[in-house]
Structure formats: C-alpha cells, structure tokens
DNA sequence: CATGGTTTTTACCAAATGGTAAAGAAAATA
DNA sequence: TATTTTCTTTACCATTTGGTAAAAACCATG
C-alpha cells in the first residue's frame, strides 16, 4: 500500500463529515442559499478545509447529489421480481419509499430543492437514468391492467402520486408535525403513513388480493 | 381624497410588478438564495426602487407570502357545503387544488421552500389558521366514515396525500415534464391529473356513488 | 531526528450582497 | 409658475461570499 491506513481512514471520515454537513445545509436552503461557511460551521471545521477536500461549492454540491442519487433513483423503481403480485410489488415499493423519507430526509430535501430549481445539475442524469426506468415500470403497470390484475388507471400519474405522497413525509415534515402537534415524526407516524398509503393505493387499484 | 388616482394606480402597478417578480425569483431559489438584484432585474427596475416600496428583503418576502397565503390556505380547506356528498366535495376539492397548481405554480413553490426550510415565517400563521381548519375537515371525514359513506381511512394522512399529489404538479413540474417528454405542462396534462386523482381517491374511498 | 508528503490554519482578496444617503425627475398642489 | 410631495436613479458602504496563497502543524518513513 502506498498510503498509510490511518491517514486514509481519517481522510474518509473527514470527507464523510463534510458531506453530511453539506447535505444538512443544502437540505434547508438549497444550493444558492447555502454558504460554504455555513457548511463549515455545521461540520465544525474551517471553510478552507472543505475547499481542500472539495475544490469549489459546485463540486461539493455535486458530491452531495452523487452520494445519494443512485440510492434515490433505485428506490423510485420497482423491485425486479416478475413472480411478485402487483399488490406485493406496490406494497413493498411504498414501504421502501417511506423508509427512504424516514432515513434520509435531508437527501429528499436536497433532491426537492434541485427539482424545484429546475434540476440544473440532475436534468441530464434524470433523462438518462430515471426516464428509462420510469417507462419500463409504466409498461409493467400497463401489463397488469391489460391482464385485469388492477383497475385501469394512468400509470404515469400513479407514480407521480406515490412519489409525492411518500416524499411529503420528508420534504413537508414541518407542516405535518405542525398539524399533528408533534415536535418530530416518530416511527409510529411513518408506520401509520405506510399503512395508510398501502391500503389507500391498493384499494384504489382494487389489488388487495 | 388626499391622493390623486393616477399616482395611486401607478404605485399599485409597480408594487404588483415587484411582487410578481419577487414571487418568480423566490420560487426558484427560496428566500436565502434570492438576491434583491435578481428581483430587480426580473422586474426591470432598480434594486433601490424595490427598497423604496418594500423596506427590506424580509418585508418583501413577507409581502409575497401574505399576497398568496389566504388564497392558499382557503384551497386547503373543504368548501363548506353540508349538503354536498363526500364524492362531490372531494372531487371539487381536488379539482381546485390542481387549478391552484396550474394557475399559481410560483406561489406553490414559494410555499414549498418556506415549509422545507422549517416554515420560519409562516409557522405561527399555520398553527393559528391552517391547523383549526385541518382539524375541522378531519372531523368531517370521520363523520363520513362513521356514517358509512366512505371506507375507513386515516383522514389526516388522506389530506397529506391529496396535498402532496396536487402540489407536485407545481413544485415538481420539472421532473414531470422530463418524464412526460414535454417542454411544459399544458391544460391537457392538468386535466389528466385531475381525472386520475379524482378517480383514484374516490375509488380508494369507495365513494363514487 | 530529518525528510517529504499530507492535512489544517491563517491571511488575504475581488466580487456580490443588503442597505443608506442624497441627488435628480415627475407629478400634484398652491 | 413656484413649491411641495412623490417617485426613481446614482453613489456609496459595510458585510458576506467563494476562492487563492502561503505558512504552519501533522505524520509516516528513511
């Protein structure tokens, strides 16, 4: 090995800390509204150290996005099990999407900012990666409909609705907390959300069986 | 009258122009990410003129919020017609919410930014105005359920889902456009969305009749 | 411990930011 | 027309911003 292990580990830890801090800050204010100093303060280090690891605010932002985008887009796609029934496929899908909102709320908010902003960084990536998967999954649903397994609905809008409904527990958690009168969303709330959404969607599709 | 009409009218027009420009800019970048210069450029006037009409960035932002919040919160509540059936009440509700996304996408995005950011400005207002209305509407749905008019679901999460699903056509329009392969969302798209969502929700609630 | 590389801090800097002050233009009133 | 009030622009200014340069501290190895 050319480089000492201890140093490498430290480097990785610092980088991870910066990325976590950056995600937190970008989640709240978006790219334009976040300052390198704010990220530095959140990470407990100096701004210049961030620039040592990530040569520029753009690069830091891209690193944050890259750090989450694969996991993110993966969870926006059906699990590829042709044996599974529509009901269990959708149920698992919703469940995983809610888990994502629960476990990575900051990632969700960074993504939301990026999209609201017109996806200046992710646009190409979304066209090349999300769109084909989306079209594939739309076809799967169309096949279910053709086979009479679920009620006929517009598959595209079905996805838009499921995405919106699941991500709202991350992006709009403030509003939900306010209305539920809770200082934060707990496991119970996510369980309730999952149960509601699964039953709701499966009822709408008449796919419980 | 102490002030001349012509001047008043001009003043109102300038103010409205500033508010429209500010809404556009805040919609894209949020409060922290927007500069007074950007708003000025969007409005085609000088930054100092904005400061003449709105003495500070905070005040401008608050004015933008105040300009939309009443209409906004109104559309988040059921129309108060005790005669109407659950089906028609919900159908009208969804339709109006989609119309709001279509007609005021910038307002929707400003609202989204504010909530993602933790509702620093609107928090009190939401607690005092949205929350009571929310709880009232939750009770209405509970009554429908008790009367056997709709399937039993958690009314709170039902609202969260409907809000998310309708607002996504404003906030996440970029993503939807990308996936639909369209440069912008047209009337047809909103019609499709409305039809899908009405049928979807009413099917889930078994409330078509 | 001395050397060479890596990591972190300290000093800066030019541009952008929110905001003030004052001057100039336009309009209303006397 | 003269004067007062309202509107708009032009000059500035202190602070914050993203970023560079270089010095200092740290660390593994000869």
């Amino acid at each position: 090995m050319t480089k000492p292990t201890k140093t490498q580990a430290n480097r990785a830890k610092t980088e991870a800390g910066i990325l976590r801090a950056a995600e937190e800050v970008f989640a709240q204010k978006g790219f334009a509204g976040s300052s390198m100093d704010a990220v530095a303060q959140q990470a407990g280090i100096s701004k210049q150290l961030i620039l040592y690891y990530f040569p520029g605010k753009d690069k830091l932002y891209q690193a944050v996005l890259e750090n989450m985008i694969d996991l993110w887009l993966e969870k926006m796609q059906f699990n590829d099990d042709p044996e599974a029934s529509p009901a269990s496929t959708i149920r698992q899908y919703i469940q995983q999407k809610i888990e994502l909102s629960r476990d990575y709320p900051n990632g969700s908010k960074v993504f939301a900012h990026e999209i609201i902003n017109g996806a200046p960084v992710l646009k190409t990536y979304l066209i090349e990666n999300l769109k084909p998967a989306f079209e594939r999954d739309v076809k799967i649903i169309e096949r279910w409909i053709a086979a009479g397994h679920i009620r006929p609905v517009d598959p595209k809008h079905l996805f838009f609705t499921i995405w919106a409904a699941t991500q709202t527990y991350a992006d709009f958690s403030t509003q939900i907390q306010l209305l539920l009168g809770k200082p934060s969303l707990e496991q119970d709330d996510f369980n309730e959300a999952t149960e509601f959404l699964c039953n709701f969607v499966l009822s709408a599709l008449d796919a419980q069986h």
Side-chain angles (χ1 to χ4, degrees), chain A:
Chain A
M1 54 185 96
T2 54
K3 290 182 183 181
T5 316
K6 190 181 168 186
T7 307
Q8 260 186 340
N10 237 322
R11 186 179 181 91
K13 213 155 75 176
T14 307
E15 265 190 34
I18 293 173
L19 283 175
R20 210 172 337 115
E23 198 180 72
E24 173 91 27
V25 174
F26 285 138
Q28 285 176 43
K29 314 262 186 180
F31 175 76
S34 303
S35 73
M36 297 291 276
D37 266 317
V39 176
Q41 208 165 341
Q42 176 74 27
I45 58 178
S46 70
K47 179 184 68 172
Q48 281 67 18
L49 192 54
I50 296 179
L51 282 162
Y52 174 73
Y53 282 91
F54 301 92
K57 192 183 170 186
D58 297 7
K59 294 289 168 54
L60 175 60
Y61 180 66
Q62 279 167 30
V64 168
L65 283 180
E66 281 168 18
N67 201 43
M68 55 167 283
I69 193 64
D70 286 329
L71 175 66
W72 199 260
L73 293 198
E74 183 204 320
K75 298 297 184 196
M76 286 179 90
Q77 304 170 37
F78 278 152
N79 268 2
D80 212 4
D81 181 359
E83 299 296 312
S85 69
S88 79
T89 301
I90 290 172
R91 200 189 305 273
Q92 190 194 16
Y93 184 75
I94 290 173
Q95 193 180 325
Q96 288 190 357
K97 209 72 183 51
I98 291 265
E99 280 169 8
L100 202 64
S101 282
R102 182 196 63 195
D103 297 336
Y104 303 93
N106 285 336
S108 184
K109 287 177 184 173
V110 172
F111 186 76
H113 275 294
E114 168 72 9
I115 301 297
I116 293 179
N117 201 235
V121 176
L122 284 184
K123 188 171 255 175
T124 304
Y125 192 84
L126 291 178
I127 291 176
E128 290 175 358
N129 294 276
L130 179 59
K131 202 177 178 197
F134 172 70
E135 283 162 359
R136 184 171 45 73
D137 288 348
V138 163
K139 284 215 179 72
I140 291 176
I141 292 186
E142 281 168 351
R143 241 173 282 135
W144 290 344
I145 293 172
H149 293 145
I150 64 172
R151 240 198 281 262
V153 298
D154 187 321
K156 303 188 295 302
H157 292 280
L158 174 62
F159 276 109
F160 301 155
T161 288
I162 294 179
W163 291 342
T166 50
Q167 290 170 203
T168 201
Y169 291 96
D171 303 342
F172 278 57
S173 59
T174 300
Q175 189 182 39
I176 293 175
Q177 285 166 32
L178 239 63
L179 294 177
L180 296 183
K182 296 188 169 192
S184 69
L185 296 185
E186 305 297 335
Q187 184 57 49
D188 284 353
D189 302 306
F190 290 104
N191 288 344
E192 268 184 39
T194 305
E195 203 194 315
F196 165 81
L197 256 183
C198 284
N199 289 338
F200 192 75
V201 171
L202 294 182
S203 289
L205 298 177
D206 197 20
Q208 287 91 336
H209 37 78

